Amino acid sequence: MMGLLSTTQEGLIMQAFHSTGFAHKVIFAVGALEQLGKAVEDFGWQRLLLCTSPSQQSAGHVSRIAAALSSRLVAIYERVQPHVQDAQVSEVLTLAHQHAIDAVIGLGGGSPIGIAKAVSSALEEELTGKAVRAVTPIDQPRIPVIAIPTTYAGSEMTPFYGTTRAIEGTTRKTTLSDPRIVPKLVLYDPLLTCQLPKGLTASTGVNALAHCFEALYSVTCNPLSTAAALGALRSIWNALPSCLADGANIPVRTEMLAGAYLAGFALSSVTMGLHHGICHVLGGTAGVAHGIANGIMLPHVLRFNLEATASQIAQAADALGLTDSGQSETALAETIVQQVDVLIRQSGLPQHLRDVGVPASNLPRLAQLAFASRTVQSNPKPITDVTQLLVLLQEAW
Ligand code: NAD
């Protein structure tokens, strides 16, 4: 474009962008689970494997899925632990082979959905010989993922998954992106979230909030991701406190789940930054639950990024119900970050890394691992020195 436009015109023109969309069917309805059998029939899947965690069995969701799928449900793995453990992925892969599955269901939070994605991706590699890094956005899976989320983590909308494994005497979470594993069928049923305890409602809700901010100021943000992030913020801001006050309130659970859908959608087409990168290190290596890490780190990361992202953060003012009183973008962004901090405090989440079992002596190692993370290095404010991360972690400690 050099030479075609004057400097003034260049300043006024919208930023260039790339955007990737994914082919999938999303069913969002109170009682959506009742549509599972018909949807699976429409897709033609015959041999399904269900991955889930023990909470779903006790809530009665597993037996309802078994009834809906009847003989099409050929295997169940219901021991999924947090953070998508490599050993568990291997166990599920063995089951997948034994039962010759043609689709895999993740029912629950980001961990069961992550296991389903990891298994689908591994099977694709085996069947096609095509490494994840060689895949293009239009490649379609042979063993697709079906996602039925019961938290607000948003994994059901994205092409990302992380797995945790032992490496060099420590555990680490490695994240990968594979467009084939974006769930082909997503069933959002607010009724499945009504028993989500207060702590998980808050922590996974704040995870969804974090998706919105990282999408708003992502180095690859685009008009669609921004619109989705702002829509999500509006719903989450309105519904999360009400869900915490009354978890059985179906209309607010519905609004919150719609916000989580949009937040996941916003994240699905952008590059994540420091916040997600550092939370993956805290989860994979220090064992902090993902949503809890989000609650502790988000205000610190937003403050860290403010100088580079004020104008993007300020876009959230209207969604958060802040009136424009002629403040500068920087002042508005500071107010937004402060409001986020207050919301997190009021939701009763832990505030410090020291409160969730992270020893101070681990911070230098965690900072090093974060510094080496591609996600952290995609942050809009450049991170040029590991000390920046150590200071950030010390503030959060
Ligand atoms: P989780 O899936 O690890 O679940 C946490 C706990 O919540 C479990 O004990 C589970 O049994 C319980 N639970 C889930 N739903 C429940 C319900 N309705 N009622 C009662 N208990 C319930 O937690 P999460 O925060 O949803 O997911 C975190 C994982 O997902 C992390 O590994 C994170 O990295 C990943 N994640 C991935 C993406 C992505 O885009 N790929 C996005 C967000 C999170």
Side-chain angles (χ1 to χ4, degrees):
M1 195 135 58
M2 288 280 282
L4 284 180
L5 302 169
S6 69
T7 316
T8 319
Q9 284 174 321
E10 276 188 19
L12 289 174
I13 217 157
M14 180 187 242
Q15 289 241 307
F17 65 88
H18 291 201
S19 170
T20 301
F22 302 103
H24 54 194
K25 176 165 184 161
V26 174
I27 299 177
F28 187 109
V30 173
L33 199 55
E34 286 167 17
Q35 300 180 46
L36 176 65
K38 167 85 169 65
V40 164
E41 206 178 308
D42 290 348
F43 273 94
W45 296 313
Q46 300 290 343
R47 301 188 60 78
L48 295 115
L49 160 63
L50 172 66
C51 303
T52 192
S53 50
S55 61
Q56 303 304 321
Q57 175 71 277
S58 48
H61 302 151
V62 173
S63 50
R64 290 179 61 208
I65 287 179
L69 296 177
S70 178
S71 61
R72 290 177 197 244
L73 184 63
V74 294
I76 304 180
Y77 183 89
E78 48 190 337
R79 298 193 299 277
V80 176
Q81 291 165 3
H83 297 306
V84 189
Q85 306 295 330
D86 206 30
Q88 291 209 315
V89 176
S90 303
E91 287 176 16
V92 183
L93 255 179
T94 305
L95 263 186
H97 284 302
Q98 281 168 354
H99 294 275
I101 65 163
D102 60 9
V104 52
I105 309 174
L107 162 73
S111 298
I113 294 171
I115 287 249
K117 287 172 161 185
V119 166
S120 168
S121 192
L123 290 171
E124 293 301 321
E125 264 196 38
E126 283 175 21
L127 290 168
T128 61
K130 207 168 178 181
V132 168
R133 290 191 198 292
V135 170
T136 75
I138 57 163
D139 284 326
Q140 294 300 313
R142 301 204 185 174
I143 308 295
V145 175
I146 299 162
I148 309 176
T150 64
T151 73
Y152 304 122
S155 174
E156 63 281 356
M157 292 307 294
T158 77
F160 319 121
Y161 67 98
T163 52
T164 306
R165 69 192 70 191
I167 303 175
E168 296 160 4
T170 181
T171 56
R172 283 209 219 152
K173 194 173 208 171
T174 330
T175 48
L176 278 171
S177 179
D178 178 349
R180 293 170 303 189
I181 50 91
V182 175
K184 291 288 135 193
L185 172 65
V186 183
L187 238 100
Y188 282 105
D189 187 344
L191 297 180
L192 302 183
T193 63
C194 285
Q195 292 166 21
L196 189 64
K198 209 169 169 172
L200 281 162
T201 298
S203 63
T204 64
V206 170
N207 188 190
L209 202 61
H211 298 341
C212 301
F213 285 106
E214 289 243 308
L216 279 182
Y217 60 56
S218 166
V219 291
T220 60
C221 68
N222 60 70
L224 212 48
S225 61
T226 299
L230 293 175
L233 272 173
R234 194 177 297 280
S235 293
I236 295 167
W237 204 254
N238 194 37
L240 183 54
S242 311
C243 287
L244 292 171
D246 177 10
N249 182 329
I250 295 170
V252 294
R253 285 290 192 186
T254 304
E255 185 175 9
M256 185 62 210
L257 196 59
Y261 154 65
L262 282 174
F265 180 90
L267 194 70
S268 68
S269 69
V270 300
T271 304
M272 295 177 273
L274 170 61
H275 176 76
H276 282 81
I278 210 155
C279 287
H280 290 153
V281 172
L282 286 167
T285 302
V288 183
H290 189 64
I292 299 290
N294 270 265
I296 295 172
M297 293 310 301
L298 187 61
H300 295 281
V301 174
L302 290 178
R303 270 189 213 103
F304 176 89
N305 274 338
L306 251 180
E307 65 184 86
T309 61
S311 62
Q312 287 102 326
I313 291 180
Q315 296 176 93
D318 192 44
L320 269 55
L322 298 172
T323 45
D324 183 359
S325 49
Q327 294 155 287
S328 67
E329 277 179 346
T330 306
L332 205 49
E334 278 168 4
T335 309
I336 290 167
V337 174
Q338 202 186 348
Q339 297 279 313
V340 168
D341 199 351
V342 170
L343 177 82
I344 294 174
R345 281 172 200 277
Q346 287 176 346
S347 67
L349 291 169
Q351 304 287 301
H352 305 283
L353 292 175
R354 64 173 174 272
D355 298 338
V356 294
V358 180
S361 58
N362 271 10
L363 299 186
R365 171 92 183 116
L366 296 172
Q368 285 287 357
L369 289 172
F371 190 63
S373 144
R374 261 185 305 130
T375 309
V376 169
Q377 288 302 340
S378 303
N379 194 53
K381 174 175 160 181
I383 294 165
T384 52
D385 188 333
V386 68
T387 316
Q388 290 170 284
L389 299 178
L390 182 57
V391 170
L392 185 77
L393 286 168
Q394 283 166 338
E395 283 168 4
W397 194 80

